Amino acid sequence: MVEFVDLTHTFRDGMPGFRLHDADGSYTEYTAAIEPFLTHEDARPKFDGRCSFEITEMQFQTSVGTYLDSPAHRYAGEKDIAELDLSELINEGIVIDVRGRDPYEAISESVLPAGVDLSGMAVLFNFGWDSHWGTADYREYPYISESLIDRLLVENVALVGVDTINIDDDRNLDRPAHTKLLAEDVLIVENLCQLDALSDRAFRLYTIPIKATDTVAMPIRAFAEC
């Protein structure tokens, strides 16, 4: 029997997002605002009281929640979200268990399984960091090292995902994971969750965003088919 595992944090009003530091020492907070654009009460007179509908309005930066980065996120003029083919968004997957790490600990290529062909696969790193979602601890996290990034490129992976707020060390302004992976059209997914459910299991990963043009990243409903 086919099982589906939801790997997506719930998208909600005021949800946690990332922060970018500003020149004055403050920071810009990224989040989502969700509210009714038209309520049932407002709509009812428009239908002569015979029925009613609610319409929702959402405002958010596209790099919040569980989301996908396209190459255009790092490189102006490269492939954006709408230009991604469905075949790039559905991949056989593998979860690498890297739980038990400390904040800002880098993991090396030694975590990759020996003798496993990763070509064309979605490689997901389970730090167990989704347990910190919505807390201050979520903002300081382990990450993949530059040597591991290079190895993933040699292995010709299709997508790399993490259950942390950033695939890169946010103290490193070179952002090597985004820089190297997206240069080779290796897609990135951040803020995954429930990767424990996929340990030692074969699965197919779906990372489908809205087909939005001139958009470099987009929240997705990430899920696995086991």
Side-chain angles (χ1 to χ4, degrees):
M1 178 180 293
V2 173
E3 179 186 355
F4 294 100
V5 179
D6 194 346
L7 307 175
T8 311
H9 286 289
T10 301
F11 204 89
R12 52 170 54 105
D13 182 73
M15 68 187 299
F18 67 92
R19 295 171 176 172
L20 284 181
H21 287 281
D22 300 322
D24 63 0
S26 64
Y27 56 81
T28 300
E29 185 88 45
Y30 293 76
T31 187
I34 306 173
E35 62 182 359
F37 177 78
L38 183 72
T39 67
H40 284 282
E41 291 74 19
D42 293 335
R44 193 167 288 110
K46 299 178 184 297
F47 296 92
D48 199 25
R50 296 165 65 181
C51 63
S52 67
F53 301 91
E54 181 165 303
I55 297 175
T56 305
E57 180 174 65
M58 303 175 68
Q59 296 184 37
F60 58 92
Q61 301 79 37
T62 57
S63 297
V64 295
T66 303
Y67 67 94
L68 176 82
D69 287 335
S70 75
H73 176 55
R74 176 64 180 82
Y75 297 102
E78 293 301 316
K79 192 183 298 184
D80 71 9
I81 290 293
E83 294 173 303
L84 298 176
D85 191 81
L86 283 175
S87 63
E88 299 177 81
L89 304 170
I90 304 171
N91 299 281
E92 300 303 314
I94 184 172
V95 168
I96 310 297
D97 189 347
V98 288
R99 290 174 292 181
R101 310 294 167 137
D102 294 325
Y104 292 123
E105 179 179 349
I107 58 170
S108 73
E109 64 273 20
S110 65
V111 303
L112 296 180
V116 176
D117 183 6
L118 300 178
S119 179
M121 295 193 72
V123 180
L124 311 181
F125 292 94
N126 177 18
F127 291 100
W129 227 248
D130 56 329
S131 64
H132 300 302
W133 176 255
T135 73
D137 290 339
Y138 194 70
R139 298 191 180 279
E140 296 184 352
Y141 53 89
Y143 60 94
I144 65 175
S145 67
E146 195 157 355
S147 63
L148 177 50
I149 296 163
D150 292 340
R151 174 69 183 280
L152 291 168
L153 290 172
V154 169
E155 295 285 342
N156 195 34
V157 304
L159 180 148
V160 182
V162 292
D163 60 359
T164 57
I165 196 169
N166 197 331
I167 196 172
D168 276 306
D169 176 358
D170 64 5
R171 304 167 302 177
N172 184 348
L173 300 185
D174 289 331
R175 298 295 199 265
H178 285 89
T179 297
K180 292 186 173 187
L181 295 176
L182 294 175
E184 299 298 328
D185 287 346
V186 177
L187 304 180
I188 295 171
V189 175
E190 292 159 316
N191 293 323
L192 288 162
C193 64
Q194 298 196 102
L195 294 178
D196 292 0
L198 300 176
S199 296
D200 301 318
R201 301 179 71 181
F203 63 93
R204 179 174 293 173
L205 178 70
Y206 295 78
T207 56
I208 313 298
I210 297 171
K211 191 176 181 181
T213 192
D214 298 324
T215 304
V216 302
M218 182 60 69
I220 58 175
R221 185 71 178 265
F223 64 95
E225 180 184 14
C226 304

